[in-house]
Amino acid sequence: MEIDYSAWKIFSEGKTPGTTPLPEKFSEYLNPSSDKLVVDVGCGWGRVSVWLYLQGYSVVGTDINDKEIERARVAAKRIIKPGAKNTLNFQVDDSSKHIELGNGVADGVAVNGMFLAMTTPESRIGLASEILRILKPGGILSVAEFAQTSDEEYKIDYRKHALITNEYGTVVGFKKDLGITFKDKSDEEIKALGKPENIDYFSHHYTEDELREILSNFEILELNKEKFTTRSGKHINGFVIYAKKP
């Protein structure tokens, strides 16, 4: 079936999954200052954007989900400090196609779980290209993304999800209230579950090689493997990456 990452637009306010770790080492590579602009790509309801703002950066959060952006804007009005020099703004963009910012304007970009939603090769390339475009030379990129987990349970799950998504590592987020599981189902029965009315979203879990290829135009400063928690509460491998635009 055709995979459409824009399904992430449907989450209502505050419901977009956000379990990746905050970019706590960002300040080691970019000193917090009101004259430093950091763009939070795929900001959802603003969790990372607000955290970056409170560190002292000026921040623009961007997301495809206009409901989440509106919620983030309302929250920002309560958070912005009177007389603060740094700013906090939000905008709606399909970041895999175009971020409504000029070339080389950002000192930093934070991406927390955004590549997760990029479930086509074209969208992954597009997102990486837009990040590269808006960053200044020497600008810092932080990435936190879910990794493919190699234990046998996950391998079986990935194979079963691929019956619907046609890509190993790309998984289906079924609507919770339907209680859908793959237990005791044949391959054909699993394929039949891939109806739009059953699905909330698609997401992709990455290998290290996949992420290195996507970020091939950046200088990788560090790549760390950590444990993340999924929307459903499962523990899974993850990558935390800091990189620089040459």
Side-chain angles (χ1 to χ4, degrees):
M1 67 180 299
E2 182 178 352
I3 306 299
D4 181 7
Y5 73 89
S6 66
W8 289 78
K9 292 172 69 174
I10 68 171
F11 283 99
S12 58
E13 296 93 328
K15 299 298 184 181
T16 302
T19 59
T20 50
L22 293 165
E24 294 181 344
K25 295 180 72 175
F26 211 99
S27 61
E28 294 184 19
Y29 295 104
L30 185 67
N31 289 329
S33 172
S34 62
D35 65 354
K36 301 296 184 184
L37 175 64
V38 178
V39 181
D40 178 13
V41 177
C43 67
W45 45 269
R47 179 179 71 107
V48 176
S49 300
V50 168
W51 184 85
L52 288 164
Y53 171 77
L54 293 175
Q55 304 311 300
Y57 300 106
S58 289
V59 180
V60 171
T62 177
D63 200 277
I64 196 172
N65 189 319
D66 58 349
K67 293 179 181 178
E68 294 287 56
I69 288 295
E70 186 55 37
R71 182 175 186 266
R73 285 170 175 161
V74 170
K77 291 177 181 178
R78 300 194 301 268
I79 292 162
I80 292 174
K81 297 173 285 188
K85 292 182 179 179
N86 58 327
T87 58
L88 176 60
N89 295 294
F90 294 94
Q91 62 189 49
V92 178
D93 291 310
D94 182 345
S95 299
S96 71
K97 295 178 181 176
H98 183 67
I99 298 172
E100 199 62 42
L101 292 169
N103 297 343
V105 298
D107 298 281
V109 171
V111 181
N112 271 51
M114 180 61 174
F115 280 108
L116 179 81
M118 301 292 104
T119 50
T120 66
E122 295 79 13
S123 62
R124 294 165 195 157
I125 293 168
L127 177 58
S129 296
E130 276 299 281
I131 292 168
L132 189 69
R133 181 185 66 79
I134 65 172
L135 269 174
K136 296 176 179 177
I140 297 300
L141 168 66
S142 70
V143 176
E145 291 297 340
F146 288 91
Q148 289 182 23
T149 298
S150 59
D151 64 42
E152 199 58 34
E153 179 185 355
Y154 270 99
K155 285 181 178 179
I156 293 169
D157 268 357
Y158 288 138
R159 186 193 69 78
K160 291 180 177 180
H161 280 279
L163 294 170
I164 298 172
T165 66
N166 298 317
E167 182 182 41
Y168 188 87
T170 297
V171 301
V172 182
F174 292 109
K175 292 180 179 176
K176 277 191 170 183
D177 58 350
L178 297 179
I180 291 174
T181 72
F182 292 151
K183 186 177 180 180
D184 300 325
K185 290 184 172 61
S186 68
D187 286 359
E188 289 305 312
E189 288 173 323
I190 290 171
K191 289 178 184 178
L193 294 173
K195 300 174 182 177
E197 59 266 29
N198 292 341
I199 296 169
D200 259 351
Y201 63 92
F202 300 96
S203 59
H204 186 74
H205 297 175
Y206 287 86
T207 66
E208 181 176 337
D209 286 345
E210 284 177 325
L211 284 174
R212 286 189 180 276
E213 177 63 26
I214 290 167
L215 301 177
S216 60
N217 291 319
F218 296 84
E219 176 189 347
I220 303 294
L221 302 172
E222 58 178 284
L223 187 153
N224 302 309
K225 297 177 181 178
E226 300 188 9
K227 286 292 183 182
F228 291 2
T229 304
T230 68
R231 177 190 183 215
S232 59
K234 289 184 177 181
H235 296 295
I236 189 171
N237 294 335
F239 295 109
V240 174
I241 301 170
Y242 290 88
K244 181 172 69 172
K245 178 178 177 176

